[in-house]
Amino acid sequence: RNIDVDHIDLMKLDVQGAEHLVLEGATDALRENRISVIFTEIITMPTYVGQISLHEMLRKFDDHNFQLYNIYNLSTVDGRLRQVDAIFVNTMSPLALA
């Protein structure tokens, strides 16, 4: 179902390794800079079927003018980073100037 939304100030993603699929579904909004900030969980260890790697996830944000602002809530297993929450800001958004 399509919903016509002009602009999203903040998009929150926590969909168990399918964040990249949400970004693919939002390709038009991302390309048109209609999303200002994305707060997302990023899983760094292989956990879910279909999950993409950390560097692939970071590339998706970079490809759409999103820059990492900060990371929060680091979770580890045996000293190895398992997941983080991250905020990405669209460098083409008016909010990026604030």
Side-chain angles (χ1 to χ4, degrees):
R1 178 174 171 206
N2 289 335
I3 300 172
D4 190 23
V5 176
D6 290 333
H7 189 84
I8 297 171
D9 291 326
L10 173 65
M11 176 185 277
K12 166 107 171 49
L13 303 177
D14 186 353
V15 289
Q16 311 324 111
E19 287 78 9
H20 67 285
L21 297 175
V22 175
L23 294 178
E24 287 174 19
T27 297
D28 289 345
L30 291 167
R31 184 179 52 248
E32 296 166 4
N33 298 305
R34 292 189 287 129
I35 302 173
S36 295
V37 177
I38 298 177
F39 180 76
T40 185
E41 178 180 73
I42 296 179
I43 301 167
T44 58
M45 293 175 64
T47 306
Y48 298 104
V49 173
Q51 170 187 336
I52 63 173
S53 69
L54 172 62
H55 74 274
E56 290 172 303
M57 191 67 178
L58 294 175
R59 168 76 58 198
K60 288 192 175 291
F61 285 108
D62 189 53
D63 288 348
H64 292 290
N65 303 313
F66 279 84
Q67 187 173 62
L68 179 63
Y69 179 78
N70 209 340
I71 58 173
Y72 309 88
N73 304 323
L74 283 71
S75 174
T76 61
V77 173
D78 298 326
R80 182 177 171 195
L81 185 62
R82 178 178 66 174
Q83 68 187 43
V84 299
D85 291 333
I87 293 178
F88 292 86
V89 176
N90 184 334
T91 61
M92 304 301 287
S93 166
L95 291 180
L97 303 175

